[in-house]
Amino acid sequence: EILRSVGEHLKLSNCVLIKETSRGDLADIICEYAASEKDSVIESMQNIPKAELPFFDGREHIISANSMKTEEFRVFFEKMKLKAVVCFPMMQDNKIQMYLCFWERKNERIWSVEEEKFLNDVNFLDNILLLDSFEDNKKSILIIIPHLSKNFN
C-alpha cells in the first residue's frame, strides 16, 4: 500500500522492495508497485545475483537522469531501461538484507531536494514497519503518509 501511494504520488514507473535470499548471493523483488502491468519487473527479478545489483552495497543511492554513473550502474540502467533511481538499504536482523528502490523508467527525471527528503521519510517509515508488525502501529504509520506528502507539495 505504501509503495503504491508513493509511486502514484510521484508518478514513478516502479517502487520495489528487493530482499536477499537465504542463499545470501541472490536477491528477489518481494513487493512491487508498477505504474502499469507492462512496467512490472517482479517476475523477471527473481533469483538475481546480487553482483548484478550495483546498489546492493550497503549505501543509499540517488541517481538522476543527468548523473554520472559507474560502469556497473550504466550496465544495470541499460538492462532495466532505467532513467533515474533512489535506493535505500534496509536493516533486518542487524544487517542490510533489503533495498527499497524507487525507479523511473519512462521520463528523464532529475530528483529534487524535496523528492529526496520525501523518499527518505518513506524509507524511515518502512523501516519502522519492518521492525514493528503490530496492526495498530501499521495503521497509524499509514495515516502519516498523506501528511508527509502535504509538506512535499
Side-chain angles (χ1 to χ4, degrees):
E1 187 67 28
I2 289 176
L3 294 183
R4 182 185 58 77
S5 296
V6 172
E8 289 176 355
H9 180 71
L10 293 179
K11 297 175 178 56
L12 296 172
S13 303
N14 303 79
C15 303
V16 297
L17 186 59
I18 303 174
K19 186 177 189 309
E20 180 180 282
T21 66
S22 58
R23 274 185 46 171
D25 62 336
L26 301 174
D28 296 332
I29 289 182
I30 60 169
C31 186
E32 175 189 51
Y33 158 79
S36 69
E37 240 181 86
K38 69 177 180 150
D39 290 322
S40 178
V41 295
I42 194 166
E43 287 183 25
S44 65
M45 293 287 293
Q46 300 299 309
N47 291 309
I48 300 295
K50 282 178 28 185
E52 293 180 17
L53 303 173
F55 54 83
F56 233 106
D57 62 0
R59 300 180 316 196
E60 74 178 51
H61 296 276
I62 300 171
I63 303 173
S64 293
N66 64 349
S67 297
M68 295 289 291
K69 297 168 193 69
T70 64
E71 179 64 13
E72 293 84 5
F73 272 103
R74 190 194 61 71
V75 168
F76 184 69
F77 267 56
E78 197 172 287
K79 177 183 176 186
M80 297 302 298
K81 298 178 176 70
L82 296 169
K83 306 286 186 182
V85 301
V86 174
C87 297
F88 295 105
M90 299 184 76
M91 299 291 286
Q92 186 180 28
D93 299 328
N94 293 321
K95 75 177 213 173
I96 295 168
Q97 294 184 358
M98 291 188 277
Y99 261 84
L100 178 61
C101 300
F102 305 94
W103 293 350
E104 180 53 55
R105 299 172 70 211
K106 295 177 185 168
N107 303 307
E108 298 289 323
R109 186 180 209 116
I110 298 172
W111 302 105
S112 69
V113 172
E114 292 82 14
E115 288 171 326
E116 290 177 24
K117 287 179 182 176
F118 175 74
L119 292 173
N120 195 51
D121 288 344
V122 170
N123 177 54
F124 174 75
L125 292 175
D126 274 354
N127 271 295
I128 291 172
L129 284 172
L130 284 172
L131 293 174
D132 189 353
S133 61
F134 296 109
E135 285 303 312
D136 290 340
N137 199 25
K138 283 185 182 178
K139 289 175 188 167
S140 66
I141 289 172
L142 290 173
I143 291 167
I144 294 170
I145 294 293
H147 297 290
L148 287 174
S149 61
K150 269 192 230 171
N151 295 330
F152 173 72
N153 293 325

